């Protein structure tokens, strides 16, 4: 019996979603977390916390550059850059 694929359809979809978030930030950033969530919703994509975290925290191209006051308190501001010095 063969071993199941490590890359299930769900994992592939999650990775594609994270890549979409990083690509959107590259084109439209810098942006706050609520702005990213609004963009996902506008595109008809699911907003899933673990995918958003993967895209924002684990991508080598996305950097937190500060915080802003939002309607519900402080929100993070994210930008795309090859190195952290590129986003300033």
């Amino acid at each position: 019996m063969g071993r199941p694929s490590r890359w299930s359809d769900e994992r592939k979809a999650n990775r594609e979603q994270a890549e979409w978030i990083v690509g959107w930030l590259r084109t439209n950033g810098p942006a706050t977390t609520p702005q990213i969530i609004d963009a996902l919703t506008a595109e008809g994509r699911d907003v899933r916390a673990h995918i958003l975290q993967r895209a924002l925290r684990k991508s080598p191209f996305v950097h937190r550059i500060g915080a802003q006051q939002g309607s519900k308190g402080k929100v993070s501001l994210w930008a795309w850059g090859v190195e952290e010095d590129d986003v300033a």
Side-chain angles (χ1 to χ4, degrees):
M1 185 162 164
R3 184 174 158 196
S5 173
R6 188 177 107 169
W7 293 100
S8 68
D9 289 341
E10 183 180 357
R11 287 187 74 169
K12 287 178 190 175
N14 290 351
R15 183 178 174 109
E16 190 275 331
Q17 179 89 325
E19 289 173 355
W20 185 92
I21 293 167
V22 172
W24 184 88
L25 261 178
R26 182 178 187 182
T27 305
N28 301 292
T32 63
T33 305
Q35 290 170 330
I36 297 167
I37 292 170
D38 290 344
L40 286 166
T41 305
E43 282 288 316
R45 295 176 173 270
D46 290 336
V47 178
R48 298 173 66 193
H50 70 283
I51 297 171
L52 190 59
Q53 179 177 355
R54 171 179 289 149
L56 298 177
R57 298 245 181 230
K58 295 189 178 190
S59 171
F61 303 111
V62 176
H63 307 284
R64 184 177 181 274
I65 60 171
Q68 292 182 348
Q69 192 64 31
S71 61
K72 297 181 181 178
K74 282 197 172 192
V75 293
S76 295
L77 183 63
W78 303 92
W80 187 92
V82 177
E83 295 183 14
E84 287 194 49
D85 293 342
D86 293 345
V87 297

